[in-house]
Amino acid sequence: MEAIKFGTDGLRGIVNKSITPKVAYDLGCALALFLLQSNDKPKVLVAEDTRKSCDLLRCSFCSGLMSYGVDCICLGEMPTPALAFLTKKKKAYAGVMITASHNSYEYNGFKIFNSQGMKIDMLTTLTLERYAQILCKCSLNKSENIGTCKLDNLLLEKYVKYLQNEIKENKFSVCFDCANGTTYNILKKLFPNAKYTGIDLYKNKENENCGATNIKNLKKYIKQVKADIGFSFDGDGDRVIVISRNGKVYDGDDILYIFTKYFKERNILKKNEVVGTIMTNFGIELALKQLGVSLIRQQVGDKFISYEMKKKNLLLGAEQAGHIIVSRGSIIGDGIYACILMLNILNEIDVSLDEYTKDVKKYIQTNISVSVDEDMKDYILDNYELKDYIVQCENDMGYKGRIVVRKSGTESLIRILVEGQEKEYCDKIANKIKEKIVEISK
């Protein structure tokens, strides 16, 4: 039996292994049952990224929805933030994105949004998992009123127009790495004169050696085309990393600082608080403090940032990996919106990014991932020997650094972050913790 188990960012895995047509069908049935608890005739928007496997999963998923009488509207290829925007705009009961985000093309999965365009909360994911378990064990009565599936390829234009209205005059030459994903068709309309790489949309190469998780190609491309600035997205367009003409990389932490400083200087910030994660660089936290702004740390996952921002009515939040959330735009990470805002800011302040961020002194961060069996993640992290060892390492570091050991919510990995002021020392501690994890996992 193929169990449905959500991670921190939806359901994700290798297609035809952990993510099969049966899993997609069961998820569609489970979501239909959930929505029918409070709605007689719910409507669900379904979109996808550029992976070859999207056709397979969409057909199965929509069949599950329709078998219980739920109507679905298929929107075609678009970025995840576009779907979130349209779900709220069209007052749909849910939006479902078929994507594996930054993962390589053999992966795929599902991100689910509520009627407000926010990723579903933990209670909803647990409910969907439970419904799927019940469906696997017994056959529930299906609806006599079979749902319909309609196509709407024009709805995306509402999102494009929304972004067009945000663009101010741009004096920079710009290039984009679209990760062979969903951002290209939109960016081409917004920035027709820009240069593009990572736009091989039809050969199943999403995120392969490109995009927000692999910026080497964009660095070379910026020099090649002599651009002033470059933006690198992931496959589904909810992340962005910025690279200057001299090759300096500005990740989500840096972008959070830049946006905060700009909004603070113009009294737009609302409150003197912004949201990051346990991975946010300590140097960014100190630089924000110099601006009179406090950093609230949440667990990794942009949905946790979103919910914290909504709860406290905050304007800004970001993940180091490139999810930038500006609540006056969308309440989830939106790479294209963040790109537009960055260009608007640079056109207005008329100084370089290096100059604007000169007060930021980032700490060294060593990041290591350890491959483990999926079922072993919690066992390893709960192991008392590992916990004691991490405490010992933290005591040795004192106030000069941080250690974060956590399970990946999207892959069979345990991630280690060691942060401090000396690279050799951070590398040494990280590798010792890795050795301990490998020892425990045997």
Side-chain angles (χ1 to χ4, degrees), residues 89-107:
K89 186 85 172 173
K90 296 299 291 183
K91 299 180 180 178
Y93 290 92
V96 179
M97 183 74 188
I98 304 174
T99 181
S101 191
H102 64 280
N103 289 99
S104 51
Y105 59 83
E106 68 270 21
Y107 287 80

Side-chain angles (χ1 to χ4, degrees), residues 302-318:
D302 66 323
K303 72 176 181 181
F304 300 112
I305 296 174
S306 295
Y307 277 100
E308 184 72 16
M309 288 172 60
K310 184 166 180 140
K311 182 174 75 173
K312 295 194 172 182
N313 191 29
L314 301 179
L315 179 62
L316 285 173

Side-chain angles (χ1 to χ4, degrees), residues 85-242:
F85 172 87
L86 293 170
T87 299
K88 183 177 181 180
K89 186 85 172 173
K90 296 299 291 183
K91 299 180 180 178
Y93 290 92
V96 179
M97 183 74 188
I98 304 174
T99 181
S101 191
H102 64 280
N103 289 99
S104 51
Y105 59 83
E106 68 270 21
Y107 287 80
N108 214 331
F110 298 86
K111 295 181 181 181
I112 304 177
F113 298 89
N114 64 21
S115 60
Q116 296 302 305
M118 296 183 70
K119 290 179 181 176
I120 54 174
D121 58 24
M122 187 62 69
L123 179 60
T124 304
T125 62
L126 291 172
T127 303
L128 291 176
E129 288 175 1
R130 180 62 181 152
Y131 281 169
Q133 287 176 349
I134 295 171
L135 286 164
C136 286
K137 292 178 181 178
C138 61
S139 179
L140 299 180
N141 291 330
K142 296 183 179 179
S143 174
E144 294 180 1
N145 299 315
I146 296 172
T148 62
C149 183
K150 297 180 180 178
L151 302 179
D152 190 338
N153 295 322
L154 301 178
L155 202 54
L156 181 60
E157 287 304 311
K158 291 184 180 295
Y159 177 69
V160 174
K161 287 179 181 177
Y162 148 71
L163 291 175
Q164 286 173 331
N165 290 333
E166 296 293 324
I167 297 176
K168 298 177 183 176
E169 184 180 359
N170 175 41
K171 61 187 177 186
F172 297 102
S173 59
V174 184
C175 64
F176 299 111
D177 181 346
C178 300
N180 303 322
T182 57
T183 56
Y184 173 66
N185 288 330
I186 293 175
L187 287 168
K188 197 67 178 174
K189 295 176 181 179
L190 301 176
F191 300 97
N193 297 321
K195 304 291 185 181
Y196 294 86
T197 185
I199 54 172
D200 191 356
L201 302 179
Y202 305 105
K203 294 184 179 178
N204 210 24
K205 291 185 177 181
E206 189 165 334
N207 297 314
E208 185 179 32
N209 298 320
C210 60
T213 56
N214 192 326
I215 57 175
K216 291 180 181 178
N217 283 345
L218 184 58
K219 275 189 172 185
K220 293 178 183 177
Y221 193 64
I222 288 171
K223 288 184 179 179
Q224 179 184 330
V225 301
K226 298 180 181 179
D228 294 318
I229 193 168
F231 296 86
S232 191
F233 303 89
D234 65 342
D236 72 328
D238 60 357
R239 292 187 185 194
V240 67
I241 301 294
V242 181

Side-chain angles (χ1 to χ4, degrees), residues 378-403:
D378 290 326
Y379 169 79
I380 292 169
L381 292 177
D382 290 337
N383 184 277
Y384 73 92
E385 287 186 21
L386 177 62
K387 288 183 175 181
D388 287 348
Y389 190 72
I390 292 170
V391 170
Q392 179 186 329
C393 291
E394 287 175 329
N395 289 337
D396 291 343
M397 295 182 78
Y399 295 104
K400 296 181 179 179
R402 295 188 308 129
I403 298 174

Side-chain angles (χ1 to χ4, degrees), residues 30-48:
L31 180 59
L33 287 172
F34 175 78
L35 294 174
L36 287 166
Q37 300 302 309
S38 54
N39 309 285
D40 292 332
K41 194 64 176 174
K43 175 179 65 178
V44 176
L45 302 185
V46 181
E48 60 200 64

Side-chain angles (χ1 to χ4, degrees), residues 369-390 405-408 411-416 432-442:
S369 295
V370 188
S371 181
V372 298
D373 290 339
E374 185 68 26
D375 295 338
M376 289 285 286
K377 285 180 180 178
D378 290 326
Y379 169 79
I380 292 169
L381 292 177
D382 290 337
N383 184 277
Y384 73 92
E385 287 186 21
L386 177 62
K387 288 183 175 181
D388 287 348
Y389 190 72
I390 292 170
V405 181
R406 64 181 182 89
K407 63 181 177 182
S408 169
E411 298 173 82
S412 298
L413 300 171
I414 289 179
R415 302 193 187 277
I416 304 164
K432 282 186 174 182
I433 295 173
K434 178 180 179 180
E435 290 171 7
K436 181 65 72 173
I437 291 172
V438 171
E439 178 186 319
I440 292 168
S441 64
K442 287 181 178 177

